[in-house]
């Protein structure tokens, strides 16, 4: 009889339903601190340009071919007598300190330090409101933040329990909901006398950006607006040619005919030290352009003298030439260019 009772009790007993405990998700670990980037190393300044003296060179010719003042070239290289240079001598072709590379040379990768990351605010679970809460038979709160909230107190389901929770929810004051004003459109304007909704009460006008450094720089003379004029009157008997090594134009004239400065500048050479030029005048107009006047009979200006456009600088002659003429050159950065392209039409 006892066996029958035990067998009947075992058939009536049901195994309990498995219970799964849900643990709240842990907060995401804070992002690792961003290490500041190493300061970019300044590129080393390139060496200054140099020239090795060859047989037959003169300092004046080297300076002319480089678009420089031969006296400055002599000073940069510690040459006391500009008429004495030796074969194989290496000349520095730039002023000391003028060959420094720009802050970031082309092609150089620039490492910019990263801005400090803003601290990540910890995630706060939204409050449980009566509108978003209902009691399930399982005893869990059905909320949008179920997985991030701590477990609620489990109560057995009954009509009495449900009535208690509804009464507690009704007694809890609900904060009023204020509708946010729509943001003003980019092309619209705020109402008269009203500040923008997202502007602080003590907003100040934005500070003006500083002007670009090169905006205030005034060039000494515009390279293309020097206002060139013809250095003398006469027929052009020889034109410029790169292939024939004709570095300028020849203008025929009479002995003693005036030669004037084609543009304003400073006389950087006045003498007869360049082979094939006779008595020569070289005027430096700016850091880009030089002009040369060769085969003169007389020179009426001196080195270092400032001259104006149209000012007489010499008299036409035939020194180191086969006839009376003016050999006229314009050099851009030391390289001969066709003067006719710069002179006004005749």
């Amino acid at each position: 009889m006892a066996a029958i009772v035990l067998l009947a009790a075992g058939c009536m007993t049901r195994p309990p339903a498995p219970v799964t405990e849900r643990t709240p998700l842990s907060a995401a670990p804070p992002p690792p601190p961003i290490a500041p980037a190493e300061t970019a190393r300044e590129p080393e300044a390139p060496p200054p340009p140099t020239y090795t003296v060859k047989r037959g060179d003169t300092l004046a010719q080297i300076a002319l071919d480089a678009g420089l003042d031969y006296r400055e070239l002599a000073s940069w290289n510690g040459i006391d007598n500009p008429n004495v240079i030796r074969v194989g001598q290496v000349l520095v072709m730039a002023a000391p300190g003028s060959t420094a590379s720009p802050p970031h040379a082309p092609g150089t990768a620039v490492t910019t330090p990263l801005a400090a990351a803003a601290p990540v605010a910890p995630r706060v679970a939204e409050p449980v409101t009566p509108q978003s809460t209902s009691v399930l038979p399982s005893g869990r709160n059905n909320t949008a933040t179920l997985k991030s909230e701590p477990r609620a107190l489990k109560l057995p389901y009954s009509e009495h329990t449900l009535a208690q929770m509804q009464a507690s929810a009704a007694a809890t004051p609900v904060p009023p909901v204020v509708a946010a004003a729509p943001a003003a459109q980019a092309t619209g304007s705020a109402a008269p006398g009203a500040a923008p909704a997202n502007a602080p009460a003590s907003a100040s006008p934005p500070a003006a950006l500083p002007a670009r450094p090169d905006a205030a720089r005034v060039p000494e003379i515009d390279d293309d607006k020097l206002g060139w004029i013809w250095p003398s009157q006469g027929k052009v008997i020889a034109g410029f040619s790169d292939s024939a090594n004709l570095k300028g134009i020849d203008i025929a004239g009479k002995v003693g005919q005036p030669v004037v400065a084609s543009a304003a500048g400073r006389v950087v050479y006045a003498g007869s030290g360049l082979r094939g030029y006779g008595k020569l005048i070289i005027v430096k107009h700016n850091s880009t352009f030089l002009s040369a006047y060769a085969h003169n009979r007389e020179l009426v200006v001196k080195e270092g003298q400032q001259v104006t456009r149209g000012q007489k600088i010499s008299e036409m002659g035939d020194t180191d030439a086969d006839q009376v003429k003016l050999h006229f050159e314009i050099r851009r950065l030391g390289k001969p260019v066709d003067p006719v392209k710069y002179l006004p039409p005749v």
Side-chain angles (χ1 to χ4, degrees):
M1 191 64 181
I4 294 175
V5 173
L6 292 175
L7 180 60
C11 294
M12 295 177 62
T13 304
R14 295 182 179 179
V19 178
T20 303
E21 295 289 341
R22 293 194 177 186
T23 58
L25 296 177
S26 59
I34 300 177
E38 295 183 1
T39 305
R41 299 180 60 183
E42 293 292 336
E44 296 182 359
T50 59
Y51 175 82
T52 302
V53 178
K54 301 178 179 62
R55 185 178 299 275
D57 282 346
T58 63
L59 196 65
Q61 182 67 60
I62 295 172
L64 175 62
D65 292 339
L68 302 173
D69 182 343
Y70 82 97
R71 292 174 301 174
E72 294 179 348
L73 184 59
S75 175
W76 300 341
N77 291 273
I79 299 175
D80 296 329
N81 186 354
N83 297 321
V84 179
I85 56 176
R86 62 182 184 277
V87 176
Q89 182 176 357
V90 178
L91 302 177
V92 177
M93 304 298 291
S98 64
T99 57
S101 60
H104 301 294
T108 302
V110 180
T111 305
T112 304
L114 297 177
V120 179
R123 182 179 178 182
V124 180
E126 297 179 0
V128 180
T129 61
Q131 291 84 351
S132 61
T133 306
S134 62
V135 178
L136 300 180
S138 61
R140 295 194 300 270
N141 291 335
N142 183 20
T143 65
T145 56
L146 174 63
K147 295 184 179 180
S148 61
E149 292 178 348
R151 289 186 299 163
L153 176 64
K154 295 183 179 180
L155 297 175
Y157 172 75
S158 67
E159 297 294 336
H160 179 69
T161 302
L162 178 59
Q164 285 183 344
M165 295 196 66
Q166 290 177 346
S168 175
T172 304
V174 180
V177 178
V178 180
Q185 297 182 358
T187 57
S189 59
N198 57 353
S202 59
S204 57
L209 295 177
R212 291 179 56 186
D214 56 349
R217 184 180 65 85
V218 179
E220 51 180 330
I221 299 179
D222 191 332
D223 291 349
D224 297 327
K225 297 181 180 179
L226 286 172
W228 300 93
I229 62 173
W230 285 83
S232 190
Q233 298 179 353
K235 181 180 178 181
V236 177
I237 56 177
F240 175 85
S241 174
D242 277 328
S243 58
N245 197 27
L246 299 177
K247 300 178 181 180
I249 59 176
D250 291 345
I251 302 173
K254 300 178 180 179
V255 176
Q257 183 174 319
V259 176
V260 301
S262 186
R266 178 171 58 89
V267 179
V268 297
Y269 182 82
S272 55
L274 275 73
R275 185 179 304 172
Y277 285 88
K279 292 184 177 181
L280 173 67
I281 293 287
I282 300 176
V283 178
K284 186 175 181 65
H285 305 286
N286 54 24
S287 58
T288 304
F289 283 95
L290 295 175
S291 59
Y293 313 77
H295 308 309
N296 298 281
R297 183 185 70 172
E298 294 292 338
L299 308 179
V300 297
V301 292
K302 298 179 180 179
E303 292 181 2
Q305 180 177 340
Q306 295 287 338
V307 294
T308 59
R309 181 180 59 178
Q311 178 179 342
K312 181 179 178 180
I313 58 175
S314 64
E315 296 177 356
M316 191 180 295
D318 59 356
T319 55
D320 208 0
D322 55 357
Q323 67 177 89
V324 176
K325 62 181 179 181
L326 170 67
H327 176 75
F328 176 66
E329 296 182 6
I330 293 179
R331 298 205 176 202
R332 189 178 190 279
L333 299 176
K335 181 181 179 180
V337 294
D338 188 356
V340 175
K341 293 182 179 181
Y342 295 87
L343 298 173
V346 292

